[in-house]
Amino acid sequence: MKKLLSIMTMILIITSIALVGCGQKSTTSNESKQNEESKTEETTANSGPITINQEIPDQEILSKGPAGEAAVSAKTLQLTEEEVQKIKEGKYKAALVMHYAGNDWATAQINGLKATFKRMGIEVVAVTDAQFKAEKQVSDIETVLAKKPDIIVGIPVDPVSTASAFKKAADAGVKVVFMDNRPNGLEAGKDYVSVVSADNYGNGVQAAEIMADKLGGKGKIGVIYHDADYFVTKQRTEAFEKTIKEKYPNIKIVARGGIIGPNDGEKVASGMLTKNRDLDGMFVVWDVPAEGALAAARTAGKKDFVISTIDLGTNVALDIASGGMIKGLGAQLPYDQGISEAILAGYSLLGKEAPAYVAVPALNVSKENVLDAWKLVYHQDAPESIQGAAK
């Protein structure tokens, strides 16, 4: 009897082990299946041609390139799946040389570049921040060249003093793609691949239209411009002022003030408001100094005041969504600009002809479309603070 019980106990133990083993095998099989499905989804998401977001509105590009070139829309750029695969086989390296990396625009550019280079199998070996200092950017380029990148995507702090450093990179065989501006003396197709920009002239027009609409076509305004030899910011101010003067004769530009850096906005706006207490509105050349202008207008006790600007940063978006003094802006699409720059770098690696100047269409942003605009600009939903303010 004892012998029989021992045999039955042994059978139960063996059966239990077998069942546990089957259960573990089944779980492992399910996990493997889920992992395979996840990998398949990821591969599908990262396969196919590379283009910018085709949902971006088809706006006429109004900007011209640094040498007066007609712009090619970034929506026309594409790398086929076969071209991407060919680039992957090269195991290339890229470096990103920024003039400044401390705002939402720069972050979105970098994110767009990194995500696209990852799809192309290109390793990003450096991201530098010159902090708006030309001498630091020259040093950054020297440091980056030691890493032997095949590609540099950069935006010159100053078109004169950084020219020799970027030329040195080009002469070393590095494929150079510029954001927004090109250094003096460098030639497209020889020293660099292309310049990619937002339609800055178009965004200046959008900012002027917003100003005119919110003022009802009349009033006195000030203009805060970028007091530097900077191609894209000059275009914005020129477009804004020309549109106001030619289309809205009852809106008078009665004050102008220049800024050197992004933190000068409050000081310049405050001085302008002190001298011109009857101002009805103000155009500021980009969003960070516009935040300073907003602070100055609040300090001056302004109520029905209209500010328009360019670039959809977090703080200006929050003020727009809240129905504040910043009524709207012309938005760049920096994430898609980054995608475009990466595509053009790919063109150069393939020996494919690239246009000298490429622009991403302008985008009009107001309280009514700020959440949709944010998604277009950054490829993600707006922060909860902005969503809450827009309700």
Side-chain angles (χ1 to χ4, degrees):
M1 184 67 180
K2 286 181 181 179
K3 188 175 181 181
L4 180 61
L5 284 171
S6 296
I7 293 169
M8 290 189 70
T9 301
M10 186 65 70
I11 291 169
L12 285 170
I13 292 168
I14 292 168
T15 305
S16 298
I17 292 169
L19 287 170
V20 170
C22 287
Q24 287 174 336
K25 186 175 181 181
S26 175
T27 302
T28 305
S29 177
N30 286 338
E31 286 175 356
S32 298
K33 187 177 178 182
Q34 287 170 359
N35 288 337
E36 286 302 317
E37 285 173 356
S38 176
K39 285 178 184 176
T40 302
E41 286 173 9
E42 187 177 340
T43 302
T44 303
N46 290 324
S47 61
I50 296 177
T51 64
I52 70 166
N53 185 357
Q54 295 301 301
E55 292 180 11
I56 293 169
D58 287 311
Q59 299 271 17
E60 179 189 1
I61 305 294
L62 301 178
S63 293
K64 299 288 184 184
E69 311 98 323
V72 171
S73 174
K75 291 187 75 171
T76 65
L77 302 179
Q78 176 178 288
L79 287 172
T80 67
E81 190 170 358
E82 292 74 23
E83 288 172 332
V84 173
Q85 186 55 44
K86 189 172 180 181
I87 292 168
K88 282 182 178 178
E89 292 165 5
K91 300 187 183 303
Y92 297 109
K93 296 186 292 184
L96 314 183
V97 178
M98 303 300 293
H99 63 335
Y100 178 67
N103 59 12
D104 293 325
W105 179 90
T107 300
Q109 280 260 12
I110 292 165
N111 289 345
L113 279 158
K114 282 184 172 180
T116 310
F117 278 143
K118 184 176 181 181
R119 285 189 62 184
M120 296 160 67
I122 294 173
E123 180 189 1
V124 176
V125 295
V127 180
T128 65
D129 177 359
Q131 299 166 5
F132 280 116
K133 297 172 184 174
E135 64 278 10
K136 185 176 186 312
Q137 187 167 61
V138 170
S139 173
D140 288 344
I141 293 168
E142 292 286 347
T143 303
V144 158
L145 287 176
K147 297 179 181 289
K148 301 191 181 303
D150 303 285
I151 300 156
I152 285 178
V153 181
I155 175 167
V157 171
D158 177 81
V160 177
S161 52
T162 64
S164 59
F166 279 111
K167 184 72 164 64
K168 181 179 178 179
D171 290 344
V174 179
K175 310 295 186 185
V176 182
V177 178
F178 288 117
M179 305 171 183
D180 285 354
N181 202 2
R182 55 105 199 249
N184 288 2
L186 273 65
E187 295 179 33
K190 178 185 173 185
D191 302 307
Y192 66 92
V193 180
S194 184
V195 174
V196 185
S197 179
D199 181 6
N200 282 285
Y201 198 97
N203 278 323
V205 171
Q206 297 295 343
E209 296 291 354
I210 289 163
M211 178 68 72
D213 176 59
K214 298 303 179 183
L215 289 178
K218 61 182 180 180
K220 295 179 180 180
I221 64 172
V223 169
I224 295 181
Y225 61 92
H226 188 199
D227 193 9
D229 184 15
Y230 220 72
F231 169 68
V232 295
T233 51
K234 281 184 176 180
Q235 281 197 320
R236 297 172 181 187
T237 305
E238 179 189 342
F240 178 88
E241 293 184 335
K242 187 176 180 182
T243 303
I244 292 295
K245 288 172 183 176
E246 292 184 356
K247 288 186 68 177
Y248 304 101
N250 293 323
I251 297 177
K252 305 297 181 184
I253 299 172
V254 298
R256 298 180 85 249
I259 58 169
I260 301 299
N263 299 321
D264 297 339
E266 185 170 2
K267 179 179 67 176
V268 174
S270 181
M272 192 179 287
L273 288 165
T274 299
K275 293 176 183 176
N276 303 272
R277 296 183 182 277
D278 58 347
L279 281 186
D280 301 299
M282 191 177 290
F283 166 73
V284 189
V285 69
W286 78 88
D287 67 313
V288 178
E291 294 173 27
L294 175 62
R298 285 172 176 163
T299 301
K302 287 290 186 181
K303 302 286 184 196
D304 298 323
F305 196 68
V306 176
I307 298 173
S308 70
T309 187
I310 292 169
D311 292 344
L312 188 64
T314 303
N315 294 331
V316 293
L318 184 59
D319 196 66
I320 291 169
S322 305
M325 284 187 257
I326 301 175
K327 301 300 181 184
L329 52 83
Q332 299 189 77
L333 294 148
Y335 192 101
D336 286 278
Q337 192 175 332
I339 293 172
S340 303
E341 290 147 5
I343 291 173
L344 287 161
Y347 277 25
S348 68
L349 296 172
L350 295 166
K352 190 173 174 179
E353 187 176 354
Y357 179 63
V358 173
V360 181
L363 183 65
N364 184 301
V365 181
S366 63
K367 181 173 172 58
E368 290 70 31
N369 74 337
V370 64
L371 297 182
D372 290 336
W374 186 279
K375 196 158 191 174
L376 271 178
V377 170
Y378 294 110
H379 288 223
Q380 61 187 17
D381 290 333
E384 288 184 7
S385 59
I386 297 172
Q387 291 187 43
K391 290 178 181 177

